[in-house]
Each structure stands twice: as C-alpha cells, then as structure tokens.
Amino acid sequence: MTRLSLLSMLAICSAGVAALYPLPSPGSYAQFVAPRIATAGDIPYPINTTATGMVTLLLRLDAMGKIQNVRVLRDIPPLTSAAQTAVQSWTFTPAALNGNPVPARLSVNVVFNPYDPGGVAIEGLSLPLPPTTPGPNDSELFPAQVTSATFAVYPVNTVASGTVVLNATIGKTGGVEKVRVIRGVPSLTPQCIRAVKSWGFDAATHEGKPVTSHAGVAFVFPSPAVANPG
C-alpha cells in the first residue's frame, strides 16, 4: 500500500469517527441564559407615607418561570409589602441551561421615587446584603446586585404617576448593556432609562464565573397631588 493510499484511508476513518462523535463547538459547554421579567403591572405607592428608597426582592423561579419564593434583601417597612404583593401577578421568562428551562433566581429592585428632588443617590446600597444560596434544584446563579444608583428625575410640565418597569441586561463586568421597557409611562420612562444606565452592579455569576444576566428595576412614582398636598 502506497503512503498516499494509507493517508487517504486514515482521513476517511477520521471523518467517520468525527461524524459519530462530533467534538463540542467552542462555547457549547453550560450555555446559561438568565431569567427575566416578561410582563409587569402597576405597584401602587402606599398612601400615608413619605418614605422613599429601594426595596430589593430575590425571586426564586421554577423551570416554568413561576414564583416559588420571594425573599426581601432590602427592606423599607412602609413600602416593601406593596412591592411583594405586586410582583406576584407578574410573569417571567425562566432561565435556560443548554436550551433547557431550569429553576433560577432573579433580583427585582423597586425604587419608590420621590416626586422632587430626583437624580440624587439612593442611600444604603453599600450595606452588604444577607447571604443567599440556591435551592436544591436551582441553577448555580448568583444574580447581579446593585452597588450604586440614583433616583429618576421627575420631568417638568407633567403630572404623571405610576410604575415604570425595566429589564436591565447586566454584562460580565457589571455594566448596564441594554435596557428594555416592560411597562412604561410615556412622560416618565425616558428619565427612568437614563437613571438605570448610570447604575453600577456586581455582575451575576454562574458556577463561579461572571455571566451576562438580567435585573428587574421598577420605578414607582406618587401622584404630585399626593406628594405635595399643600
């Protein structure tokens, strides 16, 4: 058998083995897609309170995107229950691992925004959050967490109120890469997007490695008439 014939036979055999046992393509290992908000409703601003600030909730979602548990990470007693109640009616797109839906956790940050002034820093974000661990069936995702944030500026020449809900895509270095509007209020939404794009995050990790993820952000605006009854 000539050398050329031998090389040809080896090439044919190698091709056959590759067809039966293809090598994984680059990046095909543990392709993880984080959960996100699909639809959201209004969060009523509690009456008889002038409290403002950020309530942070950690939602445990099953493989269908249904809420299994809500844990409070940042608590503002006059405001937290309104946020907890509202998210129960929201819907979510579940996480996926290699194309298959899996349980995972998602952080939702609800900003009870002052009518005026806006644009100032939200206090208390430097405090460490309570430790959290995945449930027995959860993917090993530690959601992105806000490290710095500002209130949205209430626009002039408007009397709008209500809730703006955004889905922020957080990159592997913690930067806000994209903001998608889930629920908008026309005169308020642009200021909310502008505010979130300036926020800082600790990136999410999956199995200990930084990953692109999503964080829910809601801005709740009181009615100017209620905020300024005089």
Side-chain angles (χ1 to χ4, degrees):
M1 183 179 294
T2 66
R3 178 179 177 81
L4 181 60
S5 299
L6 179 60
L7 290 175
S8 298
M9 289 183 64
L10 288 174
I12 293 171
C13 291
S14 298
V17 171
L20 291 174
Y21 304 102
L23 292 173
S25 59
S28 64
Y29 296 101
Q31 290 185 343
F32 181 79
V33 178
R36 62 187 185 276
I37 301 171
T39 64
D42 189 40
I43 302 175
Y45 208 115
I47 60 175
N48 301 324
T49 181
T50 58
T52 62
M54 181 187 292
V55 172
T56 298
L57 307 176
L58 184 64
L59 279 53
R60 174 168 281 125
L61 307 173
D62 65 15
M64 299 295 289
K66 303 295 184 182
I67 295 177
Q68 300 300 299
N69 178 266
V70 178
R71 182 176 179 184
V72 178
L73 299 185
R74 289 190 181 94
D75 185 19
I76 303 175
L79 306 174
T80 301
S81 60
Q84 287 177 292
T85 300
V87 298
Q88 296 293 336
S89 65
W90 295 8
T91 63
F92 303 87
T93 301
L97 184 63
N98 295 328
N100 299 310
V102 293
R105 298 173 300 163
L106 172 70
S107 64
V108 175
N109 306 281
V110 182
V111 179
F112 289 87
N113 207 89
Y115 166 65
D116 188 38
V120 299
I122 300 175
E123 297 180 355
L125 302 185
S126 61
L127 299 176
L129 296 178
T132 63
T133 55
N137 298 316
D138 292 347
S139 65
E140 291 288 334
L141 173 70
F142 288 84
Q145 295 296 338
V146 181
T147 56
S148 63
T150 61
F151 291 108
V153 175
Y154 191 88
V156 297
N157 302 322
T158 183
V159 292
S161 61
T163 304
V164 174
V165 181
L166 308 172
N167 184 81
T169 301
I170 313 303
K172 295 179 181 180
T173 60
V176 178
E177 296 185 343
K178 184 179 179 181
V179 178
R180 180 186 176 196
V181 179
I182 306 298
R183 185 182 194 277
V185 178
S187 59
L188 304 176
T189 301
Q191 293 289 1
C192 296
I193 294 173
R194 186 173 294 110
V196 169
K197 285 184 175 179
S198 72
W199 288 16
F201 289 83
D202 280 336
T205 60
H206 181 255
E207 297 181 346
K209 298 179 180 179
V211 294
T212 299
S213 67
H214 304 285
V217 180
F219 289 86
V220 186
F221 294 86
S223 165
V226 173
N228 296 276

